[in-house]
Amino acid sequence: VCQCPKAMRRELKHVFTGKTVTDDWLALPTNQHSEMDLVNVGDDVEFEKDRCLIVFMDFGKAICEQLRSCGYWADYIDPCSGLPMLTPNCNKVYSEVDGMQMLMHYPIMNAAMCKILLHPKWGSAVYPATVFTDAPFAAVSQLLKSSYFENPEEEVEDDGASGETGGAS
């Protein structure tokens, strides 16, 4: 969980049209360790991207529903389109790669006309996606630690930095 830096807040004002972006906004950057390098092409890579998308969309929807039920605003970005899922009438794209670089200080590389995120341990075998909220850190932290988001069957690898797990949390 990260506080949104000033440069990101300026960008988010355009992404979440009509929403007042304050200093208190938090980003929940997630990074799923994919089973393969997602820079490659092929049916197996597309299947893996789809699998990661479904995992994140389920997580994003669930956490936003929980935060909204507590009276907070929350939204998640569709990693395919870069558009918010719950805020209507938005057409400014959020770049997950630029966001992770800003929040987590991960390096990027250019491949053709595409920016590629490089995770410190997983390289480009990573699927980044983000949730945003105005909920306080304590509320988000408590929710993430709740049994609602625990998955004992899934092995989660934490490399010690916020937002980086083998799962989708």
Side-chain angles (χ1 to χ4, degrees):
V1 178
C2 303
Q3 189 166 13
C4 296
K6 187 175 184 177
M8 178 174 277
R9 290 192 310 268
R10 278 194 307 265
E11 180 75 13
L12 293 177
K13 287 178 185 178
H14 300 287
V15 173
F16 297 105
T17 309
K19 194 74 185 118
T20 302
V21 181
T22 67
D23 295 353
D24 299 330
W25 271 36
L26 299 176
L28 287 69
T30 67
N31 290 288
Q32 292 180 71
H33 186 189
S34 60
E35 296 183 13
M36 63 195 64
D37 186 335
L38 297 181
V39 175
N40 294 329
V41 294
D43 290 344
D44 54 341
V45 175
E46 293 308 312
F47 179 82
E48 178 65 2
K49 287 179 183 177
D50 288 345
R51 185 192 66 77
C52 290
L53 175 65
I54 291 166
V55 169
F56 173 73
M57 295 298 258
D58 289 346
F59 169 78
K61 180 180 178 189
I63 196 160
C64 286
E65 284 176 353
Q66 290 292 311
L67 289 168
R68 285 173 172 235
S69 74
C70 294
Y72 303 113
W73 174 87
D75 202 343
Y76 57 110
I77 302 294
D78 175 352
C80 292
S81 70
L83 297 173
M85 291 297 297
L86 303 174
T87 304
N89 304 318
C90 297
N91 58 12
K92 173 73 168 96
V93 172
Y94 174 78
S95 168
E96 291 291 356
V97 173
D98 291 341
M100 288 299 164
Q101 184 181 34
M102 189 179 302
L103 292 169
M104 308 303 294
H105 307 287
Y106 290 170
I108 61 171
M109 71 175 191
N110 289 312
M113 298 297 287
C114 187
K115 289 182 182 179
I116 307 298
L117 182 70
L118 298 174
H119 186 279
K121 281 187 171 180
W122 310 326
S124 59
V126 62
Y127 192 87
T130 310
V131 173
F132 293 98
T133 186
D134 64 2
F137 179 84
V140 174
S141 180
Q142 181 179 1
L143 179 59
L144 290 172
K145 291 176 183 175
S146 74
S147 61
Y148 188 84
F149 288 100
E150 287 182 7
N151 189 351
E153 296 175 13
E154 180 177 295
E155 181 181 330
V156 176
E157 177 185 336
D158 187 345
D159 64 6
S162 174
E164 303 168 27
T165 64
S169 55

